[in-house]
Every structure is written in structure tokens, then in C-alpha cells.
């Protein structure tokens, strides 16, 4: 579902920029790289409406105690309790501001990186985009996945800390800015990249498969 939202929003923004470029009398209505980034950022912002609460619930379920200390009896119970503890924005949507920043930066970089590499390949080999072989599409997709996380991981660290934080007297972070400040003071810059290695290992194959599937499906459908 989230992938559909990401690609749908990206291509809606892409079409908007193509129309805008054509209206300005451009001989080539194709997007500039800055417009690709903005289209990806738009996709990320749209996606954050869904990804924010979904990831919050997932983090709560994964980090809760086991056995008698268990806090939530499944996703629906978690949603109910988070909403009752902090309301919609401070409960279920806690950390949404940094989620928006993460998603905008992540997907702006993701789509920009992939489009840049595909354009580079087409120019380098003097071939059309639709003639680029599948293994190269997957390779560039994998590299784009690495760029996604390298550019946005510090935001993800802060988001995860805020979404696993307690409520009331047990709450450590007042807001996103305070979480950044405390992380830097207590852990240094290394605190913003802690745990990035397994994330990068997972990112490449997932992103490679996503872009390869999308591009090949688009070719098959004409």
C-alpha cells in the first residue's frame, strides 16, 4: 500500500511539473533534477500520513515488555491506548514532524538518485530508457535505496526515540528539537547513525526489487 502511495504521489507531482514546464514554452518538458527531488519529497510527505502512525504502532509493539508486563494486546489495542494517552497528535501521531522531514528527504533523494542514474545510463550507452536491461535497473534501484537511508537516517533515529518514549512523567523528550539536542549531548554525532549497517543491508535488495518491478511492469503495460 505504501509503495503505491509513494509512486502514485511521485508521478502526480511529476506530471504537474511537466505541465508547468510545457506552459513555460520549454522545448523539453522533462523534469530538472531539482524537480525530481521535489516530486519525491512530495511523495514522502503524502506517505508520512500513513507511515507515521503505522511505524509508531510497530515500534510500540516491538519494544513492549513480554509476559505480564505486556502493554498492548495487538495493533488495534495499541492504537486505542496511544490515542487515549496523548490524543491524536501527541499520541498516535507522536513524532509526525520528524517523520515528515525524514520522508521528504528520504524519498526526494530516492527518486532523484534513481532518475539521475537511469538518465546517466541512457546517455552513456546512447540507448532509450525502455531498453535499459533489468539487471541495471535493479542495480540502480539498489543504490538509490542506499542513498535514501544515508540521507535520512538521523531523522529516523530521532523518530524512533520519540515513538518509543514514555508518557507523562516517564517522557524524556519534549519535542523533536529536544530529542536531537539530547542525542547529540549524550551520544555525539555517532548517535545519529547507530544501527545503520543492517538498515543499509536490507535497503539495497528491497529498493532494487521495487524499482525493477515498477519499471518492468510499466513496460509490459505499454
Amino acid at each position: 500500500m505504501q509503495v503505491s502511495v509513494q509512486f502514485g504521489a511521485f508521478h502526480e507531482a511529476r506530471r504537474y511539473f511537466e505541465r508547468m514546464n510545457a506552459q513555460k514554452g520549454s522545448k523539453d518538458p522533462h523534469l530538472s533534477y531539482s524537480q525530481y527531488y521535489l516530486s519525491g519529497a512530495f511523495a514522502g510527505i503524502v506517505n508520512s500520513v500513513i507511515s507515521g502512525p503505522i511505524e509508531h504502532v510497530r515500534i510500540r509493539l516491538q519494544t513492549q515488555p513480554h509476559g505480564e508486563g505486556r502493554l498492548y494486546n495487538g495493533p488495534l489495542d495499541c492504537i486505542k491506548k496511544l490515542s487515549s494517552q496523548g490524543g491524536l497528535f501527541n499520541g498516535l501521531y507522536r513524532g509526525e514532524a520528524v517523520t515528515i522531514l525524514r520522508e521528504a528527504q528520504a524519498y526526494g533523494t530516492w527518486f532523484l538518485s534513481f532518475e539521475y542514474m537511469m538518465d546517466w545510463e541512457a546517455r552513456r550507452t546512447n540507448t532509450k530508457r525502455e531498453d535499459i536491461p533489468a539487471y541495471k535497473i535493479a542495480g540502480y534501484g539498489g543504490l538509490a535505496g542506499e542513498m535514501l537511508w544515508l540521507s535520512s537516517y538521523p531523522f529516523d533515529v530521532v523518530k524512533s526515540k520519540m515513538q518509543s518514549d514514555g508518557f507523562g512523567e516517564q517522557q524524556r523528550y519534549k519535542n523533536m528539537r529536544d530529542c536531537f539536542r539530547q542525542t547529540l549531548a549524550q551520544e555525539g554525532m555517532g548517535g545519529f547513525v547507530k544501527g545503520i549497517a543492517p538498515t543499509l543491508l536490507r535497503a539495497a535488495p528491497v529498493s532494487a526489487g521495487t524499482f525493477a518491478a515498477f519499471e518492468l511492469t510499466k513496460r509490459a503495460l505499454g
Side-chain angles (χ1 to χ4, degrees):
M1 177 181 176
Q2 286 183 252
V3 173
S4 299
V5 171
Q6 293 157 12
F7 277 87
F10 171 77
H11 286 286
E12 185 62 33
R14 178 183 59 80
R15 286 188 288 269
Y16 166 79
F17 281 119
E18 287 177 344
R19 290 193 300 269
M20 185 181 73
N21 293 343
Q23 289 171 359
K24 289 182 177 179
S26 174
K27 294 181 180 179
D28 184 3
H30 289 90
L31 275 61
S32 66
Y33 289 126
S34 62
Q35 289 173 333
Y36 275 125
Y37 176 85
L38 290 174
S39 297
F42 172 74
I45 292 170
V46 173
N47 188 63
S48 69
V49 178
I50 301 171
S51 66
I54 288 177
E55 292 185 15
H56 189 188
V57 170
R58 175 178 57 79
I59 288 172
R60 293 289 177 181
L61 292 174
Q62 289 178 338
T63 58
Q64 70 173 330
H66 295 287
E68 295 182 358
R70 187 172 182 174
L71 301 174
Y72 311 108
N73 296 315
L76 293 179
D77 183 54
C78 184
I79 291 171
K80 180 181 178 181
K81 288 179 178 177
L82 288 175
S83 299
S84 65
Q85 284 178 302
L88 182 63
F89 295 106
N90 292 322
L92 184 60
Y93 272 88
R94 174 185 280 185
E96 185 64 12
V98 72
T99 300
I100 291 172
L101 291 175
R102 184 199 68 171
E103 298 286 82
Q105 172 65 10
Y107 290 103
T109 301
W110 194 47
F111 283 107
L112 168 61
S113 299
F114 180 74
E115 293 297 333
Y116 176 84
M117 287 184 282
M118 290 290 283
D119 285 350
W120 174 80
E121 177 66 22
R123 292 194 307 270
R124 185 181 69 85
T125 59
N126 195 29
T127 58
K128 295 180 180 179
R129 182 186 179 111
E130 54 266 28
D131 294 328
I132 296 175
Y135 76 91
K136 288 188 176 181
I137 296 173
Y140 295 141
L143 289 173
E146 300 295 277
M147 294 302 297
L148 179 156
W149 282 109
L150 287 171
S151 69
S152 64
Y153 195 78
F155 293 117
D156 188 68
V157 169
V158 171
K159 180 195 75 70
S160 296
K161 287 188 174 188
M162 292 184 68
Q163 291 182 339
S164 59
D165 196 11
F167 289 92
E169 295 181 355
Q170 296 180 332
Q171 184 171 340
R172 294 178 57 192
Y173 309 112
K174 297 177 182 178
N175 48 42
M176 175 182 67
R177 183 178 178 181
D178 183 52
C179 188
F180 270 108
R181 182 187 62 79
Q182 288 196 46
T183 301
L184 181 62
Q186 296 169 11
E187 304 176 49
M189 293 300 294
F192 294 109
V193 293
K194 187 177 292 184
I196 194 173
T199 299
L200 293 176
L201 288 173
R202 180 179 64 89
V206 171
S207 183
T210 299
F211 274 114
F214 178 82
E215 289 288 325
L216 295 177
T217 300
K218 188 169 67 171
R219 291 180 188 181
L221 295 176

